[in-house]
């Protein structure tokens, strides 16, 4: 897969084998200041896309070669997390429902209302931004967890499971004071301001 363009700049990836539709979508999306990249097939999109590029995917369900649903399944199998909006026509609503069940966030029927489509795109870009923020936070938390000693990690697991210092001390065969010291180190290294925050961090790292 090629690496071109700015990965941080959101791009609306249009994948549709209909040239007139691609041109129309490019004009509409660029008219509101968004970046667009058009492809005439799923294969063409996969050649130029690489994980990490931000944006959303505007995908026609019926195309020669790899269909829209097959592309969506490919992205899922390869854990490529990009919001998908399905463009559908020719009475393909059942197919669109299948796509939604497989994780597409919206489907738009042709002929579509321009504002409705733009709203769907803005929503998909917002979803992608949240996904990227969550991934970055998870990576940061994993790096913090890596700084814990094995015993501190053990204490963190038990604390976030709702165990009291007294229970942890009894299980580990140490004093409650020692547990308190480990717990303070965990809070410091994880940069957690409260037990509730530490629990949320622990849940996010496990996701």
């Amino acid at each position: 897969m090629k690496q071109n363009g700015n990965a941080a700049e959101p791009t609306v990836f249009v994948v549709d084998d209909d040239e007139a539709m691609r041109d129309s979508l490019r004009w509409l999306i660029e008219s509101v200041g968004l970046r667009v990249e058009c492809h005439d097939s799923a294969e063409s999109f996969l050649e130029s896309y690489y994980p990490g590029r931000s944006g959303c995917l505007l995908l026609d369900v019926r195309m020669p070669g790899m269909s829209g649903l097959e592309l969506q399944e490919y992205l899922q199998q390869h854990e490529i997390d990009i919001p998908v909006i399905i463009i559908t026509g020719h009475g393909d609503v059942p197919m669109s429902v299948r796509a939604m069940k497989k994780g597409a966030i919206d489907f738009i029927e042709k002929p579509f209302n321009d504002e409705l489509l733009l709203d769907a795109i803005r929503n998909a870009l917002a979803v992608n931004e949240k996904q990227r923020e969550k991934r970055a936070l998870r990576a940061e938390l994993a790096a913090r967890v890596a700084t814990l000693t094995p015993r501190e990690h053990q204490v963190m697991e038990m604390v976030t499971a709702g165990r009291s210092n007294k229970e942890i001390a009894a299980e580990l065969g140490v004093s409650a004071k020692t547990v308190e010291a480990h717990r303070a180190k965990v809070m410091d290294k994880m940069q957690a301001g409260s037990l509730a925050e530490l629990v949320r961090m622990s849940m996010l790292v496990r996701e």
Side-chain angles (χ1 to χ4, degrees):
M1 292 182 179
K2 296 174 194 168
Q3 296 216 2
N4 50 12
N6 180 359
E9 186 183 352
T11 302
V12 181
F13 300 96
V14 174
V15 182
D16 196 311
D17 62 314
D18 181 335
E19 187 177 359
M21 179 58 69
R22 289 197 308 275
D23 290 345
S24 170
L25 287 168
R26 181 188 291 279
W27 177 86
L28 175 64
I29 296 162
E30 286 182 343
S31 75
V32 292
L34 293 172
R35 184 177 172 198
V36 191
E37 192 176 293
C38 291
H39 297 275
D40 61 4
S41 68
E43 291 84 354
S44 166
F45 167 74
L46 288 173
E47 276 176 27
S48 68
Y49 182 80
Y50 55 91
R53 294 189 72 183
S54 65
C56 68
L57 181 57
L58 210 52
L59 182 59
D60 189 20
V61 282
R62 283 189 190 273
M63 292 184 290
M66 184 186 274
S67 73
L69 283 178
E70 286 167 343
L71 173 56
Q72 193 187 1
E73 283 167 5
Y74 176 93
L75 295 174
Q76 275 188 328
Q77 286 163 8
H78 291 78
E79 296 182 354
I80 298 171
D81 209 5
I82 182 169
V84 174
I85 300 168
I86 296 289
I87 305 173
T88 183
H90 319 298
D92 287 336
V93 173
M95 202 181 285
S96 303
V97 171
R98 269 178 60 207
M100 295 284 282
K101 285 179 178 172
K102 288 179 179 292
I105 66 168
D106 212 340
F107 75 88
I108 305 287
E109 290 182 81
K110 299 176 189 174
F112 47 76
N113 173 284
D114 288 356
E115 270 313 308
L116 194 67
L117 178 65
L118 290 172
D119 283 346
I121 288 169
R122 290 184 190 106
N123 175 56
L125 293 176
V127 166
N128 185 242
E129 191 176 343
K130 282 179 187 161
Q131 287 171 336
R132 292 168 67 78
E133 285 169 1
K134 195 171 183 179
R135 278 197 296 273
L137 178 58
R138 193 180 287 127
E140 170 61 28
L141 293 177
R144 291 180 200 173
V145 169
T147 67
L148 301 176
T149 65
R151 179 48 61 93
E152 286 164 0
H153 190 267
Q154 204 173 12
V155 168
M156 175 176 158
E157 289 290 304
M158 295 168 101
V159 165
T160 55
R163 310 282 288 280
S164 69
N165 286 1
K166 193 174 175 183
E167 288 171 328
I168 296 169
E171 185 158 333
L172 298 181
V174 297
S175 70
K177 203 168 182 179
T178 300
V179 172
E180 190 56 53
H182 285 314
R183 188 168 166 165
K185 278 278 190 190
V186 168
M187 297 292 281
D188 182 50
K189 288 182 178 180
M190 290 301 295
Q191 299 171 36
S194 66
L195 177 57
E197 192 179 352
L198 186 67
V199 170
R200 279 195 298 271
M201 288 175 173
S202 176
M203 286 167 66
L204 189 58
V205 168
R206 286 197 197 102
E207 275 182 15

